[in-house]
Amino acid sequence: MSVNNVDEKEQVIAINGWLILSWTDAFLQWDPALYEDIDMIVIPSKKIWLPDIAFENSVDNLFLDVERFAATVSSDGTVNFLPGGPITLLCPLNLTNFPFDVQICSIDIVSWTTPERAMIYKLGSFTKDLLVENGQWNIADLNASYIPFRDDGETFSEVFLHIMLQRKPLYQAMNTILPVIMMSFLNLAVFRLPPDSGEKVSLSITVLLAYAVWLLMMSSITPTTSDNLPLVETFITLFMGVSTISVFVTVFIIRLNHGDDSTPVPQWMKKLFCVRCGRSARSSSVKQLDSTDSTDSLGSLGSTDSAETVTWKMMAQAADRVAFYTILAVTVIMLLTATGIIGCKSAYQPVSFK
């Protein structure tokens, strides 16, 4: 058996495999001594009785095209039949831990019209040696169970073959998670550009659009359901929110940079953004002192000129500095939180066969 494709958007799995069926047909028994010691024959499957088999969770074909396969019949009436081929099955996926998720898909084999009193399924042994590797998924485990069900007063046989799939995360990590991490630090570059450069708003909007494109890419591979959203998509949305705030902060900083110097800077804004500007203002005032004006001039400038030397451009530079360290702290905290949550949920996710 091999896994051809897992469609997360449609929540279906395409597999290629075959069934090993064996039963005894009393009408196909003979004495080999009467037929030149022939104890086994191969005949077309349409010439013998075949068990009533259907795939209840199949998307395209409810029944296999069994007429394409031949059956081997032994002299004691034992019939061995190996039908197979590609089949697409419904498989509800839980993408919360994408791309470090583990999924369980089932093949529901049911007796469609023959009740249990006429035909009973019996599970045989199966081996993992016949499993074919897939470039995106590992078949971590297989399990089968027999669960009869009742319908219209009759009991029917049903077999569930459970397939545990573990995603190989390297491809998705390199193409989804790593670019998001790198984009998160581009928000910091916005606040290292000088306010007079004229590119601050362009860069911040470009980063915001990059997050929007990444969300569109995620939505193209995830199902349109609210039951289990991928944590990666949630954190991309949060990073997009930080980028949106960065755009507004950038516009505010540019507005400060182009402020009218004839209007004094409010005192609360100096305390909020310009802690070090007061020192630079005092140092610039000291440089402007006349050598003959000593103690009295220094005192007067310390009380009046410091306010005059704090310009709007200085406030813009200070706001840039505060925004840079704030966004840096928020980004690091969000990355550490995302790594911890996704790592813990991936390591301890309760995945088991039902």
Side-chain angles (χ1 to χ4, degrees):
M1 184 181 67
S2 63
V3 177
N4 297 335
N5 183 43
V6 177
D7 192 335
E8 292 91 348
K9 183 73 174 179
E10 301 296 331
Q11 299 206 29
V12 297
I13 177 175
I15 64 175
N16 191 28
W18 63 89
L19 299 174
I20 302 177
L21 305 177
S22 180
W23 66 92
T24 300
D25 192 335
F27 295 99
L28 296 177
Q29 296 177 348
W30 71 90
D31 186 359
L34 300 178
Y35 298 95
E36 299 180 354
D37 292 329
I38 297 175
D39 59 357
M40 187 187 69
I41 59 174
V42 178
I43 60 176
S45 60
K46 62 182 179 180
K47 293 183 178 294
I48 62 174
W49 176 88
L50 295 176
D52 184 16
I53 293 177
F55 295 94
E56 190 175 21
N57 60 336
S58 175
V59 175
D60 42 18
N61 297 319
L62 189 62
F63 301 95
L64 283 177
D65 186 11
V66 295
E67 293 186 357
R68 298 185 294 114
F69 302 93
T72 61
V73 182
S74 301
S75 59
D76 60 353
T78 301
V79 181
N80 293 306
F81 187 46
L82 280 72
I87 186 171
T88 304
L89 305 168
L90 290 174
C91 180
L93 303 176
N94 186 346
L95 298 177
T96 303
N97 301 318
F98 175 88
F100 306 99
D101 51 329
V102 176
Q103 306 294 340
I104 293 181
C105 298
S106 298
I107 304 176
D108 301 348
I109 305 173
V110 62
S111 174
W112 193 251
T113 57
T114 307
E116 194 177 46
R117 56 186 173 86
M119 183 183 69
I120 300 176
Y121 288 157
K122 291 185 178 180
L123 295 176
S125 60
F126 54 90
T127 175
K128 299 180 183 179
D129 297 334
L130 299 178
L131 300 179
V132 180
E133 289 292 330
N134 180 275
Q136 189 177 359
W137 295 91
N138 280 327
I139 302 179
D141 199 3
L142 288 174
N143 187 26
S145 59
Y146 173 74
I147 304 177
F149 70 97
R150 294 188 61 83
D151 187 22
D152 292 335
E154 291 282 359
T155 302
F156 295 86
S157 298
E158 186 170 11
V159 173
F160 295 91
L161 177 61
H162 305 289
I163 309 170
M164 181 180 291
L165 300 174
Q166 185 175 21
R167 190 191 301 270
K168 297 178 181 178
L170 181 60
Y171 175 82
Q172 295 294 344
M174 293 294 294
N175 291 274
T176 303
I177 298 179
L178 188 59
V180 171
I181 294 176
M182 292 188 291
M183 283 193 302
S184 65
F185 287 99
L186 284 180
N187 285 323
L188 301 175
V190 174
F191 301 106
R192 301 313 296 171
L193 284 176
D196 293 324
S197 64
E199 299 295 333
K200 291 177 73 69
V201 175
S202 300
L203 179 57
S204 60
I205 293 179
T206 301
V207 176
L208 179 61
L209 291 177
Y211 279 117
V213 171
W214 226 253
L215 279 179
L216 288 176
M217 291 177 57
M218 289 294 299
S219 63
S220 65
I221 64 174
T222 55
T224 54
T225 177
S226 300
D227 294 337
N228 44 75
L229 293 176
L231 291 175
V232 173
E233 188 173 358
T234 302
F235 280 102
I236 292 177
T237 304
L238 293 178
F239 280 123
M240 187 177 178
V242 174
S243 186
T244 303
I245 295 174
S246 298
V247 173
F248 285 101
V249 173
T250 301
V251 173
F252 174 73
I253 290 174
I254 293 178
R255 180 66 184 88
L256 289 180
N257 187 65
H258 292 85
D260 188 2
D261 288 334
S262 62
T263 303
V265 178
Q267 193 66 28
W268 65 267
M269 193 174 294
K270 296 179 187 178
K271 295 180 179 180
L272 182 62
F273 294 119
C274 211
V275 177
R276 299 171 63 181
C277 289
R279 298 179 182 177
S280 60
R282 284 194 296 270
S283 61
S284 61
S285 300
V286 172
K287 292 181 181 179
Q288 295 175 3
L289 290 176
D290 190 82
S291 58
T292 56
D293 300 330
S294 55
T295 307
D296 295 337
S297 299
L298 181 61
S300 62
L301 284 172
S303 59
T304 59
D305 290 340
S306 60
E308 297 176 0
T309 54
V310 178
T311 63
W312 289 103
K313 289 185 179 295
M314 297 171 63
M315 290 300 304
Q317 295 173 359
D320 244 348
R321 184 169 57 251
V322 172
F324 174 83
Y325 288 111
T326 302
I327 297 297
L328 175 61
V330 171
T331 301
V332 171
I333 292 174
M334 290 179 62
L335 288 176
L336 292 177
T337 303
T339 303
I341 293 178
I342 295 177
C344 291
K345 289 184 70 64
S346 301
Y348 300 103
Q349 53 183 329
V351 177
S352 60
F353 291 121
K354 295 181 180 180

